Amino acid sequence: MQKGSRLSQIFVLFFAPVIVFSLLFAPLISLSSYESLNAVMAIVGPKSISSLDYEEGIERYKNLSRFFPNYRKKGSLHAQVIDFLIDRAVVDNVADEESIQVNEKRIEAEIQKRMEAQGISDLEQFKKAVQTQFNLPYDVWLEDLPYQIKKGQLLQIKVSPPLPSEQEVLAWYNKNKSKVGSEFKFREIVFSPSNASIDEESRVFNELTEIRNKSLKDPSFFKLVASGPRNESRYRLNGGLVNWVPTFELFKTHPTTASVLSQVGGPGKISEVFRDDRKRYCLVYIEGMRPTPLDAVRKGIQGFLFREKEQTSFEEWVTNTRKNTSISIFDPIYIKEHNISNPEEKYNID
């Protein structure tokens, strides 16, 4: 009994400190790791930015930074991400002050509105359209949507972008005529195969090829055929003539024809035989080509310039709002990079 009792005493004396150490310090190690993830890197008004926010923000910033102006990409990636999070916090604070709430229902309503605007009813199709339009994974776009909703609301109540002037519209048009494209005056001949057999397809193709060859020698022959009963063009009664249409307008209904016209060249040129979007065989003869007139693209240019002004005005508003926001920086890398002497002083990037 004495021997067993002595062994028990030795066990207690030797292992008890180990157990006590484990109980006391193991939770502290775990807590230290937790606190590291939640260390406050900055405080923006009532909102704090933690290390966890920073870690999650890195990938978001990398995905979205190509949409930001160059002057917002100063310094190291580390500093850029923190500035990105500060700017977002500034917007969130003002949105809260203005009672702009973005909940799940609001997001669903926004998605539905955008789907209707694009004439899309299937969500999967909309996801593909978003990825194509913004060159972003749909999940990344969706994660950023609450911010975009807030931005849209704040543009209405806090920012007043000026409308583009006539001089700005004219200057943009003169500088970007190649971008607005051309408009064409052309004649078309359209034949449809009577069935889907290879022989019938070949017959129609060969018939149009022969018409093209004759028209190259005698352009009046093209007009003669275009006016005849075989031509299925809706403009047959006018000799197949389509009178001055911008390619961007034609592209909405006949994208293949619009593409062919852009490739054929100038007046007097005849296209090769091609199949349009309705699987019909076609020829086009260009009678006229000119830059798209300003009046035809004025509204489009005004809309483009206004969106640019919206973006610029919003960026300026964020910068000015940030200057008037109480911001404290605690991240040592950011403090060193920006030579901040007092980490708790109000700081705003120039």
Side-chain angles (χ1 to χ4, degrees), residues 10 61-62 114 117 128 164 179 203 212 236 244 265 293 316:
I10 292 172
Y61 179 77
K62 287 180 178 178
R114 296 189 181 212
K128 292 178 182 178
K179 293 182 180 179
R203 185 191 67 77
R212 180 180 187 275
R236 178 177 62 82
W244 295 118
E316 291 174 353

Side-chain angles (χ1 to χ4, degrees), residues 182-189 215-216 219 222-223 240-242 244-245 247 250 257-272 274 283-290:
S182 302
E183 66 172 11
F184 290 88
K185 180 179 181 181
F186 67 96
R187 295 183 188 274
E188 64 177 6
I189 297 174
S215 298
L216 288 173
F222 193 100
K223 182 178 179 180
L241 181 66
V242 182
W244 295 118
V245 56
T247 49
L250 186 64
T257 302
S259 178
V260 169
L261 284 169
S262 298
Q263 297 171 21
V264 170
K269 300 290 185 179
I270 302 176
S271 72
E272 299 287 344
F274 66 94
L283 280 173
V284 291
Y285 172 79
I286 298 178
E287 292 200 352
M289 175 182 175
R290 64 190 182 190

Side-chain angles (χ1 to χ4, degrees), residues 95-342:
D96 289 342
E97 292 171 4
E98 297 295 330
S99 300
I100 299 174
Q101 300 296 321
V102 183
N103 53 30
E104 188 174 345
K105 287 186 177 180
R106 178 69 180 84
I107 293 172
E108 290 175 357
E110 182 68 20
I111 291 173
Q112 187 61 38
K113 183 177 75 173
R114 296 189 181 212
M115 288 176 65
E116 291 174 357
Q118 297 182 45
I120 298 174
S121 57
D122 179 67
L123 181 59
E124 292 305 315
Q125 183 183 351
F126 177 71
K127 289 180 180 180
K128 292 178 182 178
V130 166
Q131 290 174 184
T132 301
Q133 181 180 356
F134 297 101
N135 193 24
L136 282 174
Y138 179 76
D139 291 344
V140 174
W141 177 85
L142 184 61
E143 184 182 18
D144 195 55
L145 186 56
Y147 172 80
Q148 298 301 330
I149 294 173
K150 292 176 183 179
K151 177 181 174 181
Q153 292 286 108
L154 292 173
L155 275 167
Q156 295 180 31
I157 61 179
K158 286 291 185 179
V159 187
S160 300
L163 293 171
S165 66
E166 180 62 21
Q167 290 77 13
E168 289 173 318
V169 171
L170 183 59
W172 191 96
Y173 173 78
N174 289 332
K175 185 179 179 180
N176 297 277
K177 284 186 178 180
S178 60
K179 293 182 180 179
V180 300
S182 302
E183 66 172 11
F184 290 88
K185 180 179 181 181
F186 67 96
R187 295 183 188 274
E188 64 177 6
I189 297 174
V190 180
F191 288 176
S192 294
S194 58
N195 58 61
S197 69
I198 296 177
D199 288 342
E200 175 64 8
E201 297 269 349
S202 298
R203 185 191 67 77
V204 173
F205 178 86
N206 291 334
E207 184 179 358
L208 278 172
T209 299
E210 185 178 352
I211 292 171
R212 180 180 187 275
N213 292 335
K214 290 182 178 179
S215 298
L216 288 173
K217 298 176 181 178
D218 180 10
S220 64
F221 182 73
F222 193 100
K223 182 178 179 180
L224 179 65
V225 177
S227 304
R230 286 276 285 115
N231 190 8
E232 297 175 25
S233 168
R234 58 186 291 192
Y235 303 99
R236 178 177 62 82
L237 296 179
N238 196 29
L241 181 66
V242 182
N243 198 22
W244 295 118
V245 56
T247 49
F248 73 87
E249 286 289 349
L250 186 64
F251 189 84
K252 296 175 183 178
T253 54
H254 298 83
T256 301
T257 302
S259 178
V260 169
L261 284 169
S262 298
Q263 297 171 21
V264 170
K269 300 290 185 179
I270 302 176
S271 72
E272 299 287 344
V273 179
F274 66 94
R275 295 183 73 183
D276 68 5
D277 304 279
R278 294 170 57 184
K279 309 303 181 185
R280 304 176 303 176
Y281 286 87
C282 308
L283 280 173
V284 291
Y285 172 79
I286 298 178
E287 292 200 352
M289 175 182 175
R290 64 190 182 190
T292 304
L294 175 58
D295 287 343
V297 292
R298 185 187 304 277
K299 288 185 178 179
I301 295 174
Q302 288 173 334
F304 173 79
L305 291 177
F306 183 71
R307 287 189 293 274
E308 278 194 338
K309 286 177 177 287
E310 272 191 331
Q311 182 62 29
T312 302
S313 298
F314 190 77
E315 294 289 348
E316 291 174 353
W317 175 82
V318 170
T319 299
N320 292 331
T321 305
R322 178 170 169 163
K323 288 178 180 178
N324 296 308
T325 300
S326 175
I327 300 175
S328 298
I329 306 292
F330 303 103
D331 176 69
I333 298 175
Y334 193 99
I335 289 172
K336 182 178 180 181
E337 187 169 328
H338 289 84
N339 297 315
I340 303 173
S341 57
N342 180 5

